[in-house]
Amino acid sequence: MKIHLLTLALCSAAFLSAAPQWADKAYPQRMEISLNAGMTPGKTPIAAVKLPHAAPGGVKLVDSKGKVIDVAVKQDQAGDWFAAWKPAGLKMLEKRSYQLYFGGKTPNKALAGFPENFPGMNIVPNGNLAKIKEGVPEGWFMSSKGYGLQDKWNENNKKLVKLVKMKGANALEIRGVMAIHVKLTPGRQYELSYDGWFEKGRFGVTLWFRGKTIHEYLVKELNVGNYKMQTYVPRPNEVMKVVCSTFGYMDRKTKKSAQGKKLLPFTRVGFIQINVPKGSFGRIANLKLEDITDRGSIKIKCGKVESLKK
């Protein structure tokens, strides 16, 4: 009996230690964050999580030792809020835990030393297709001439798109060529991802890179051509996830193809072009372009949201 009581006492103590005391009652909600550094965390990685509420209020981050960690808060193109911090000195496969408090009345001040876009943030305007105006998605446009050139919406080309659902997500059904412009930064690495489906033929999604405008091909500045991140949905009639984080280009001096991860100098904008085969149609959902330069191999899991008991 004594042994059983001792075991029960130890289990109770372990349970209590797993639920630390509320660090600051000025923040009425919190969630636990588990970080795994992975094999290649990098020298100066940035960790980031999407906050669970549209209006998170003030945010506070506390590590497992009770130390308050500087945290930056920003909103992405989809309207989601993200909190980011710098887990300095991460070692390979190291694990860390935090408590992220939010709902404070005092908003967080802007912090220097963080990139414009945190890992996880979507820089595609209306990539989640949440904003629809007169039956068409804001920021998206038909591009019958290609090259990122924008067609004005009219009664004819509006018939080429339709908002549908695909595995519970907002999706756009497309006939023809559609595009969307994005802002970029040279020297950064980006990851393009989406869920795609098509009926027949070949369904491709390409991110083309340009200078300050879509008309600047960077031939004069870099002597390159065909500077793009090209992807395809490999099989018809099946919803598939496509992810790509490398690009290709033609070196005009050597006349050879080359690949890269971090964007070339002078790159400032781009356009994502969605090509649907003639006489067919395709669907796209969860279109996302993410700056992954500082992500490294970090993996993050968030626990359930807890509320402060009054």
Side-chain angles (χ1 to χ4, degrees):
M1 179 63 70
K2 289 182 180 180
I3 294 174
H4 289 299
L5 288 173
L6 177 60
T7 303
L8 179 62
L10 288 172
C11 290
S12 298
F15 176 78
L16 291 172
S17 64
Q21 291 185 343
W22 213 270
D24 193 333
K25 294 183 179 179
Y27 299 83
Q29 292 184 301
R30 75 178 182 184
M31 66 179 179
E32 185 176 7
I33 296 173
S34 300
L35 181 150
N36 189 323
M39 296 295 292
T40 54
K43 294 182 179 179
T44 56
I46 290 177
V49 294
K50 184 169 78 171
L51 296 169
H53 295 306
V59 173
K60 186 174 185 176
L61 185 68
V62 180
D63 68 11
S64 58
K65 297 180 181 179
K67 180 182 176 182
V68 177
I69 307 297
D70 287 338
V71 61
V73 180
K74 284 187 179 182
Q75 192 176 28
D76 73 357
Q77 292 279 359
D80 294 319
W81 287 90
F82 286 77
W85 68 99
K86 298 178 180 180
L90 271 181
K91 297 178 182 178
M92 184 173 63
L93 298 177
E94 182 182 354
K95 295 181 180 180
R96 295 183 184 181
S97 62
Y98 307 84
Q99 291 289 340
L100 183 68
Y101 293 83
F102 48 95
K105 294 182 179 180
T106 305
N108 291 66
K109 295 181 180 179
L111 292 181
F114 283 83
E116 182 179 357
N117 298 293
F118 304 151
M121 293 176 68
N122 192 358
I123 67 171
V124 177
N126 198 23
N128 58 355
L129 297 166
K131 298 177 181 178
I132 305 296
K133 187 176 181 180
E134 297 180 1
V136 296
E138 289 187 13
W140 299 56
F141 53 86
M142 300 304 294
S143 184
S144 58
K145 295 179 181 179
Y147 302 101
L149 299 176
Q150 182 173 353
D151 295 344
K152 290 185 178 180
W153 286 109
N154 55 50
E155 293 307 313
N156 290 325
N157 59 23
K158 282 183 180 180
K159 296 176 183 177
L160 301 178
V161 298
K162 182 170 66 172
L163 192 69
V164 296
K165 289 288 184 180
M166 192 165 69
K167 289 195 171 181
N170 290 338
L172 200 64
E173 187 173 289
I174 305 168
R175 299 173 187 271
V177 179
M178 176 161 263
I180 185 167
H181 291 158
V182 291
K183 293 181 180 179
L184 303 165
T185 303
R188 309 292 295 179
Q189 183 180 5
Y190 293 88
E191 182 176 271
L192 176 68
S193 63
Y194 57 91
D195 294 316
W197 176 97
F198 67 102
E199 182 192 32
K200 59 185 179 180
R202 199 178 192 191
F203 183 90
V205 179
T206 304
L207 171 56
W208 292 89
F209 301 107
R210 297 288 188 261
K212 292 181 181 179
T213 73
I214 62 166
H215 303 290
E216 295 182 14
Y217 289 73
L218 300 178
V219 175
K220 181 179 178 181
E221 294 85 354
L222 300 174
N223 202 21
V224 301
N226 239 14
Y227 180 22
K228 62 187 178 181
M229 183 183 289
Q230 191 166 19
T231 70
Y232 293 98
V233 180
R235 292 193 297 273
N237 296 302
E238 183 180 349
V239 178
M240 304 194 75
K241 184 78 173 180
V242 178
V243 181
C244 182
S245 57
T246 60
F247 60 85
Y249 63 94
M250 175 66 72
D251 187 322
R252 290 176 176 268
K253 287 184 179 180
T254 63
K255 295 184 179 180
K256 292 182 179 180
S257 297
Q259 285 191 325
K261 292 183 177 181
K262 294 186 177 181
L263 297 191
L264 304 177
F266 305 105
T267 312
R268 289 291 185 277
V269 300
F271 60 92
I272 299 170
Q273 183 167 295
I274 305 162
N275 293 294
V276 179
K278 238 180 181 180
S280 181
F281 67 97
R283 293 170 182 163
I284 189 167
N286 300 313
L287 178 60
K288 185 176 184 179
L289 187 63
E290 175 186 356
D291 185 336
I292 64 169
T293 312
D294 305 299
R295 186 178 69 186
S297 59
I298 291 175
K299 302 293 182 183
I300 295 177
K301 290 184 179 180
C302 297
K304 293 182 180 180
V305 176
E306 297 179 80
S307 296
L308 178 63
K309 295 180 180 179
K310 296 181 181 179

